[in-house]
Amino acid sequence: MKKIQMVDLKGQYQDIKEQVNTSIAQILETSAFINGPEVHALQKEMEGYLGVKHMIPCANGTDALQIAMMGLGLQPGDEVITADFTFAATVEVIALLQLTPVLVDVEPDTFNIDPVAIEKAITPKTKAIVPVHLFGQCANMDAILEIAEKHNLYVIEDNAQAIGASYIGKDCVKKKAGTMGHVSATSFFPSKNLGAYGDGGAIFTNDDELAHTLRGVVNHGMYERYHHDVVGVNSRLDSIQAAVLRAKLPNLDTYNQKRRAAALKYSMALANHKDIVTPKMAVCCSSDTCVCDCHVFHQYTLQIKNNDRDALVKHLQSKDIPCGVYYPIPLHLQKAYKDSRYNEADFPVTNQLVKEVISLPMHTELDDEQITYITDAVLEFLNN
């Protein structure tokens, strides 16, 4: 059996090696390292894939979130609601812009932000909602968009973990993750479903005016060289990363299908154990005939009930099986984001999840032998 990786980027590279190497060599020859032809081509191809009018490339996913908020004109003191159970980048940019983060609990089955909790948290100062499409599937966008319209709020989709996922709402119309809010942000960090070989990110929107603003923000506020029309930042996607992403984009749906196939095998092996809750996919549509790709399994995350999750982590590591705990501490308890406004009683789901979740290896190169070895090791520990 080959060595198990949490993410096997080397194996994935072998299939696109010739295209990637050729493209990088061409960039080195032309020296068009920033905003070159590869970046512009990727922009058009991503817009076509997602069915969105505008892609604004940038340097990383965290910048993408920050730039989206800057483009919307949010002001210090404005409240932005987001999930307590997610990576810190989502709340980090809110704080950096001197906005007021408002953390709320998540749903117990999908781990995505709870619309009921959003509604309760809205005040006259609330200006935006940031749903995080966690672990590879969309938050309840029907409910979130209804709340946003009711209260005249912006919706900024954090799509760093769900690129390529679909959402089918109550109207049974399929939409791509990251195309439903006023603006969305994604990350091309190497381990993402669509990952570069370094940092990278992008912002997406169907709003022409907002897109124009964002294109200035990413480039020092310039639309014409040395004319600074808006306050901006330096955040650009380089040509080499764009070339890697162009090589991967035509394979993204296949990559995501492979992840779903691996997830199904995991779930079939682990489904009947009393101490395990396997990932749940949200109901995509009320139609019995609806088939959708609503989960792209950026992570395959179990809940371990009535047992010692941390001891399981050590057991897997002893068998050379990498795993992750995403996330071990709620954002509302992180030193940087603690606030007297928060009441522990408002976070029952998050406070439980941080004790129970464990993510198993998930990538396009997993094979049956590895999956069997991993699931046998999990069951071995839980059955002892």
Side-chain angles (χ1 to χ4, degrees), residues 36-49 55-58 188 194 196 200-202 204 237-250:
E38 291 286 346
V39 176
H40 297 300
L42 173 69
Q43 177 183 325
K44 296 301 181 185
E45 290 162 6
M46 286 293 304
E47 288 167 353
Y49 174 80
M55 171 189 175
I56 298 90
C58 64
F188 299 127
L194 180 63
F204 301 93
L237 182 68
D238 72 73
S239 297
I240 289 176
Q241 303 311 328
V244 172
L245 294 167
R246 288 191 70 204
K248 287 188 173 187
L249 181 58

Side-chain angles (χ1 to χ4, degrees), residues 6-7 133-138 161-165 191-193 255-267 278-282 293-302 360-364 366:
M6 193 68 181
V7 180
H133 301 322
L134 197 71
F135 296 158
Q137 70 175 325
C138 292
Q161 298 187 15
I163 193 76
S191 65
K192 303 301 185 186
N193 294 38
Y255 292 161
N256 288 339
Q257 287 166 7
K258 288 182 176 180
R259 287 172 175 267
R260 280 192 295 275
L264 178 61
K265 291 170 184 176
Y266 272 142
S267 291
T278 56
K280 178 182 178 182
M281 289 186 282
D293 46 0
C294 60
H295 204 319
V296 295
F297 289 97
H298 175 62
Q299 301 292 349
Y300 181 87
T301 302
L302 302 172
L360 302 181
M362 175 50 68
H363 52 82
T364 58
L366 278 172

Side-chain angles (χ1 to χ4, degrees), residues 7-287:
V7 180
D8 185 0
L9 297 177
K10 186 175 181 180
Q12 189 185 70
Y13 165 66
Q14 297 306 313
D15 288 337
I16 56 173
K17 182 176 181 178
E18 184 175 347
Q19 182 181 352
V20 168
N21 290 357
T22 299
S23 296
I24 291 175
Q26 289 173 346
I27 292 166
L28 295 175
E29 287 293 333
T30 62
S31 300
F33 298 120
I34 299 293
N35 284 337
E38 291 286 346
V39 176
H40 297 300
L42 173 69
Q43 177 183 325
K44 296 301 181 185
E45 290 162 6
M46 286 293 304
E47 288 167 353
Y49 174 80
L50 291 175
V52 69
K53 290 178 69 175
H54 303 285
M55 171 189 175
I56 298 90
C58 64
N60 57 69
T62 306
D63 279 4
L65 280 169
Q66 178 176 326
I67 292 160
M69 294 179 193
M70 292 173 70
L72 290 172
L74 300 181
Q75 297 297 311
D78 287 349
E79 293 180 355
V80 179
I81 298 173
T82 194
D84 188 37
F85 186 65
T86 188
F87 183 60
T90 312
V91 68
E92 180 178 63
V93 296
I94 299 171
L96 281 170
L97 293 173
Q98 296 185 306
L99 310 173
T100 301
V102 178
L103 299 168
V104 300
D105 210 3
V106 296
E107 296 180 318
D109 47 3
T110 67
F111 312 155
N112 277 319
I113 192 167
D114 184 352
V116 175
I118 293 173
E119 187 88 56
K120 290 179 180 178
I122 292 172
T123 76
K125 294 183 178 181
T126 306
K127 294 296 186 292
I129 305 167
V130 184
V132 181
H133 301 322
L134 197 71
F135 296 158
Q137 70 175 325
C138 292
N140 185 345
M141 291 301 293
D142 280 334
I144 292 167
L145 291 169
E146 286 177 7
I147 292 169
E149 184 175 5
K150 175 182 174 183
H151 296 279
N152 194 28
L153 306 175
Y154 292 119
V155 175
I156 305 164
E157 293 177 74
D158 183 337
N159 196 32
Q161 298 187 15
I163 193 76
S166 290
Y167 179 82
I168 301 183
K170 58 187 179 182
D171 58 1
C172 284
V173 175
K174 181 182 285 192
K175 305 177 184 72
K176 286 290 189 185
T179 67
M180 294 169 279
H182 295 89
V183 64
S184 74
T186 199
S187 167
F188 299 127
F189 186 77
S191 65
K192 303 301 185 186
N193 294 38
L194 180 63
Y197 291 165
D199 271 321
I203 311 112
F204 301 93
T205 184
N206 286 309
D207 185 319
D208 296 340
E209 184 176 346
L210 176 58
H212 175 73
T213 301
L214 295 170
R215 293 191 196 285
V217 173
V218 300
N219 190 30
H220 298 290
M222 293 189 295
Y223 302 100
E224 181 182 350
R225 193 165 178 80
Y226 300 126
H227 293 256
H228 304 275
D229 295 347
V230 296
V231 175
V233 298
N234 176 23
S235 185
R236 296 173 295 221
L237 182 68
D238 72 73
S239 297
I240 289 176
Q241 303 311 328
V244 172
L245 294 167
R246 288 191 70 204
K248 287 188 173 187
L249 181 58
N251 301 305
L252 178 57
D253 289 344
T254 300
Y255 292 161
N256 288 339
Q257 287 166 7
K258 288 182 176 180
R259 287 172 175 267
R260 280 192 295 275
L264 178 61
K265 291 170 184 176
Y266 272 142
S267 291
M268 288 176 65
L270 300 172
N272 296 321
H273 198 284
K274 63 180 178 60
D275 294 341
I276 298 175
V277 179
T278 56
K280 178 182 178 182
M281 289 186 282
V283 176
C284 297
C285 178
S286 59
S287 170

